[in-house]
Amino acid sequence: MDIKKINFKEKKYVLPLLALPFLFLFGYVGAQFVKEDTSEKDKPKELSISLGDTQDSIMTKNDAYDAFFKKRG
């Protein structure tokens, strides 16, 4: 088949040529989403080994009540 004999105005040739740029656009956008997801997975999560601040002595109920209102006031 010679290229001069192909009628590019026929529907079977025009529709794929119109759809091709959109397919490339969707492929590019999809690749951007995949690239963002892999960058987050590569970072290792850091473990927290601290248990928080603790007090040396256990306070009584009245001491805790007094300490609570001293912080607010």
Side-chain angles (χ1 to χ4, degrees), residues 40-48:
E40 292 175 2
K41 290 180 182 177
D42 292 340
K43 297 178 185 176
K45 293 183 179 180
E46 294 183 15
L47 297 176
S48 175

Side-chain angles (χ1 to χ4, degrees), residues 2-71:
D2 194 4
I3 198 157
K4 293 180 183 179
K5 293 181 183 178
I6 297 175
N7 185 7
F8 285 105
K9 294 182 181 179
E10 287 184 38
K11 194 181 229 183
K12 65 180 181 179
Y13 297 115
V14 172
L15 292 178
L17 288 175
L18 290 175
L20 194 62
F22 294 105
L23 290 174
F24 284 136
L25 178 68
F26 290 136
Y28 176 76
V29 171
Q32 296 300 318
F33 282 120
V34 170
K35 184 172 28 170
E36 289 177 9
D37 292 339
T38 57
S39 65
E40 292 175 2
K41 290 180 182 177
D42 292 340
K43 297 178 185 176
K45 293 183 179 180
E46 294 183 15
L47 297 176
S48 175
I49 57 174
S50 68
L51 297 175
D53 295 332
T54 59
Q55 295 180 350
D56 293 332
S57 63
I58 297 175
M59 297 169 55
T60 63
K61 188 184 251 186
N62 290 333
D63 293 337
Y65 186 78
D66 292 339
F68 177 74
F69 283 104
K70 281 183 186 176
K71 288 180 185 176

